[in-house]
Amino acid sequence: MKKINTIYENAVYKTTDETELGMDFYIPAEINENMPAVMFFHGGYWKYGDKNELPAKKYGSIVPALNATGIIVASVDYRLVSEKTGLDGQLEDCADSLKWLLKNSRHFNIDVNRIALWGTSAGAHLAMMTAFGTTSARDFSGTLAGDCSGTLAGDFPCDSACRVKSVISFYGPTDLEELFMPDGAVSFERLKNGEEFFSYLNQLLKIDIRNGFELTSNTLRQLSPLKYLSPVSPKILLVHGDEDSVVPLHQSVKLKEFAGKTGVDAELFVCERIGHGFEGANMEDMEKVTEKTVNHLKNVFNIS
């Protein structure tokens, strides 16, 4: 694998009561002014992982390929699900990371009009929610990318979401109600045994799921990227394995179908015989994923 060139590590974008949150920048060897950038959000059931996931996983090989085309990659940390932090806090962190990147773009020679978001699994969910302009799990008004009358977390105008040109989802959940509810596409089986599952979902949603089916169902629906698609949403690339037993392929298929009805440019790239996290993928499979990802961003950023 080609060497990943880390120019700036742990640029702190936010300090909370619990921790400092930062991002690592992977920058092309040849630095120019006004370079496009893609922000990466790691996976891990919203509960595990960190920004160091990017170079360590199979898809880490995508980074040097993006750098070779002149694209900066920023790998972002966000607070993990805990007694204090749920999806609402994570969405705020992701919005704040985008806000910080745009405010500090000149330091990294980043073109604020050429920004994309990219994530894997739970990180893909956060990337989609952020790209579609959803700024907080507690703000269900549905502020959408392109509607700059709203605000992101903090005091940065919503035009930060408007500047997101594309979002790339690697096997990300798009409909949490379908994913988690017993009658939907059952997933996270190891968590669906007694108190461990209840505790996890309570922390994730910041509600007591024992209070009723309707409350849980509505909360999951409000936290689903599918809900926030609109005609002004950015371009979407969905990459998903057809043997994914954690986040079923249907999650991406459903978003692709709804995007078509909504008038959003969305492409679905299905990886045959591949499971969650590219389980079972060989070098040739990952080369295809890399090519698809790079070509998508070259098209979005108008790179010849």
Side-chain angles (χ1 to χ4, degrees):
M1 186 173 68
K2 293 182 180 178
K3 181 177 183 293
I4 299 178
N5 189 23
T6 308
I7 299 297
Y8 200 110
E9 294 184 356
N10 202 37
V12 176
Y13 71 85
K14 181 177 182 178
T15 301
T16 70
D17 292 339
E18 304 104 291
T19 186
E20 288 186 338
L21 297 171
M23 62 182 82
D24 294 340
F25 286 84
Y26 302 94
I27 300 177
E30 184 177 341
I31 300 175
N32 301 304
E33 293 184 358
N34 297 321
M35 302 172 71
V38 57
M39 301 178 71
F40 175 82
F41 300 94
H42 67 83
Y45 304 108
W46 298 279
K47 191 175 179 66
Y48 310 104
D50 58 43
K51 58 184 170 59
N52 296 319
E53 171 184 310
L54 185 56
K57 300 288 186 176
K58 287 182 179 179
Y59 41 80
S61 60
I62 296 175
V63 176
L66 291 174
N67 285 169
T69 64
I71 298 173
I72 294 172
V73 180
S75 187
V76 183
D77 263 341
Y78 52 86
R79 283 173 292 171
L80 303 177
V81 167
S82 67
E83 292 292 339
K84 291 184 177 181
T85 303
L87 260 174
D88 55 347
Q90 294 179 329
L91 287 170
E92 290 173 3
D93 292 344
C94 293
D96 284 342
S97 71
L98 175 58
K99 176 181 74 172
W100 185 92
L101 184 78
L102 292 168
K103 281 188 173 182
N104 293 275
S105 58
R106 291 183 181 180
H107 295 290
F108 300 97
N109 296 299
I110 291 174
D111 183 349
V112 295
N113 294 308
R114 290 194 293 169
I115 303 290
L117 307 184
W118 167 31
T120 60
S121 194
H125 166 269
L126 295 172
M128 285 186 282
M129 292 287 278
T130 305
F132 299 157
T134 312
T135 63
S136 171
R138 300 303 175 204
D139 176 14
F140 294 154
S141 60
T143 302
L144 297 166
D147 175 11
C148 296
S149 59
T151 59
L152 282 169
D155 57 1
F156 200 78
C158 180
D159 64 357
S160 55
C162 299
R163 286 175 176 156
V164 174
K165 298 301 183 186
S166 172
V167 60
I168 301 171
S169 167
F170 282 8
Y171 41 88
T174 66
D175 184 344
L176 298 192
E177 182 183 23
E178 179 182 90
L179 189 68
F180 279 110
M181 298 305 288
D183 294 332
V186 177
S187 187
F188 301 104
E189 286 294 337
R190 66 185 180 83
L191 295 173
K192 287 188 175 293
N193 296 312
E195 292 301 319
E196 185 181 5
F197 172 69
F198 287 118
S199 176
Y200 170 75
L201 205 52
N202 285 343
Q203 289 179 9
L204 186 71
L205 305 181
K206 289 303 175 187
I207 63 171
D208 187 345
I209 65 174
R210 288 188 176 91
N211 284 342
F213 178 93
E214 185 175 351
L215 174 63
T216 304
S217 178
N218 182 62
T219 303
L220 288 168
R221 194 179 307 122
Q222 300 293 347
L223 287 165
S224 298
L226 192 69
K227 176 180 173 63
Y228 300 97
L229 269 179
S230 83
V232 295
S233 295
K235 292 183 178 181
I236 305 167
L237 174 62
L238 303 160
V239 179
H240 217 126
D242 62 358
E243 295 185 0
D244 194 329
S245 61
V246 178
V247 180
L249 173 61
H250 184 250
Q251 289 276 308
S252 286
V253 170
K254 194 171 184 178
L255 187 74
K256 171 71 165 61
E257 291 176 347
F258 190 70
K261 295 176 183 178
T262 312
V264 177
D265 186 344
E267 179 181 4
L268 172 59
F269 181 67
V270 179
C271 304
E272 297 181 356
R273 302 178 303 280
I274 302 301
H276 196 70
F278 295 121
E279 181 181 5
N282 57 32
M283 186 177 297
E284 182 179 356
D285 294 324
M286 294 312 301
E287 286 176 353
K288 292 178 181 177
V289 171
T290 297
E291 182 180 15
K292 177 62 66 175
T293 305
V294 171
N295 286 341
H296 171 80
L297 287 175
K298 286 175 68 175
N299 178 62
V300 166
F301 292 146
N302 195 25
I303 298 173
S304 57

